[in-house]
């Protein structure tokens, strides 16, 4: 989801390869030497950047939760106070679609490895995620004022599940292309939220 175009730092390279390897083979299935080899340095050389695999995993999962929240806040602020709720929701969906397409290994890591984090790191991830959800809930309820808060929150979580399904869509080359997949995800997310918003009082019956 990053928009920067400058070359990644060695630390960023290590995290990218660690995420890929952890997602492919599991946290315990990957050694420090293998991560080092993937970025062209010795395994022990990694300890100049990270004290160990646990620290890499924590930075990956805390980091992406923080970037999602920061990115969403930035999109809302960039849209400005006069932007209609529909425009704000489009911006939030666009940002999450970028994440779902570009950071598929991190989705897999979150699903499989979150419980391996220290309690403090796991609580931080959950805190950042709650703030991210509530930002979406506020925008959704601005767009659909009659939608009760619990229904809006459930709908937002459901849309996240839909968008975060990308690791299960097959190998990257098997997808119809980034643009086509992104457009499909955007339409499905907007349609799902609209269907709840149009329902009488947000009822799921």
């Amino acid at each position: 989801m990053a928009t920067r175009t400058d070359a990644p730092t060695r630390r960023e390279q290590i995290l990218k390869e660690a995420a890929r390897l952890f997602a492919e083979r599991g946290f315990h299935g990957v050694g420090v030497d293998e991560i080092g080899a993937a970025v062209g340095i010795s395994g022990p050389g990694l300890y100049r950047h990270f004290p160990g695999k646990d620290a890499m995993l924590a930075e990956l999962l805390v980091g992406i939760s923080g970037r999602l929240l920061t990115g969403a806040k930035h999109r809302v602020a960039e849209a400005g106070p006069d932007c209609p709720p529909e425009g704000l929701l489009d911006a939030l969906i666009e940002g999450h679609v970028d994440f779902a397409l570009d950071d598929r290994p991190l989705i897999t890591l979150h699903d499989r490895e979150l419980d391996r984090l220290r309690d403090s790191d796991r609580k931080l991830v959950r805190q950042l995620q709650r703030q991210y959800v509530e930002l979406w809930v506020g925008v959704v309820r601005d767009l659909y004022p009659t939608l009760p808060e619990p229904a809006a929150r459930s709908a937002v979580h459901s849309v996240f599940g839909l968008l975060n399904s990308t690791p299960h869509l097959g190998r990257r080359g098997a997808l119809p292309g980034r643009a086509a997949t992104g457009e499909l995800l955007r339409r499905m997310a907007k349609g799902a939220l609209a269907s709840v918003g149009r329902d009488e009082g947000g009822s799921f019956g």
Side-chain angles (χ1 to χ4, degrees):
M1 63 179 294
T3 58
R4 52 179 290 177
T5 57
D6 49 318
T9 65
R10 178 51 60 90
R11 187 180 181 87
E12 290 169 336
Q13 292 173 340
I14 292 169
L15 287 173
K16 179 179 179 180
E17 291 303 316
R20 179 183 65 82
L21 291 168
F22 291 160
E24 288 177 356
R25 293 158 51 189
F27 181 74
H28 286 306
V30 179
V32 171
D33 289 343
E34 294 167 281
I35 299 172
V39 295
I41 62 177
S42 66
L46 287 181
Y47 293 110
R48 292 198 296 270
H49 302 276
F50 296 95
K53 290 196 306 176
D54 289 340
M56 294 179 207
L57 182 64
E59 184 154 336
L60 285 166
L61 294 182
V62 173
I64 192 55
S65 297
R67 291 199 302 277
L68 276 171
L69 176 60
T70 299
K73 288 180 175 179
H74 177 74
R75 285 174 179 269
V76 169
E78 195 173 49
D82 297 327
C83 183
E86 185 174 5
L88 294 178
L89 184 59
D90 285 346
L92 292 178
I93 290 173
E94 185 71 28
H96 201 101
V97 166
D98 284 345
F99 159 68
L101 292 174
D102 297 337
D103 291 298
R104 293 167 67 189
L106 292 177
I107 297 174
T108 300
L109 272 190
H110 180 275
D111 289 345
R112 293 180 182 170
E113 312 290 358
L114 181 63
D115 288 344
R116 299 193 188 281
L117 296 184
R118 295 179 305 174
D119 285 346
S120 58
D121 289 328
R122 189 166 58 252
K123 288 178 181 176
L124 178 55
V125 168
R126 294 303 192 194
Q127 177 185 358
L128 294 167
Q129 290 174 340
R130 281 194 297 272
Q131 293 179 55
Y132 183 61
V133 168
E134 294 310 309
L135 180 59
W136 275 67
V137 169
V139 172
V140 169
R141 295 195 72 211
D142 284 343
L143 182 57
Y144 303 112
T146 63
L147 185 64
E149 185 174 316
R153 190 170 294 108
S154 294
V156 167
H157 278 293
S158 296
V159 166
F160 289 170
L162 184 158
L163 296 178
N164 292 348
S165 67
T166 50
H168 309 293
L169 298 181
R171 294 185 179 276
R172 189 176 296 272
L175 298 177
R178 190 187 190 286
T181 304
E183 179 58 26
L184 174 64
L185 291 172
R186 284 189 289 272
R187 290 203 313 268
M188 293 178 71
K190 291 180 68 173
L193 291 169
S195 69
V196 177
R198 285 193 301 265
D199 196 11
E200 291 296 331
S203 170
F204 290 98

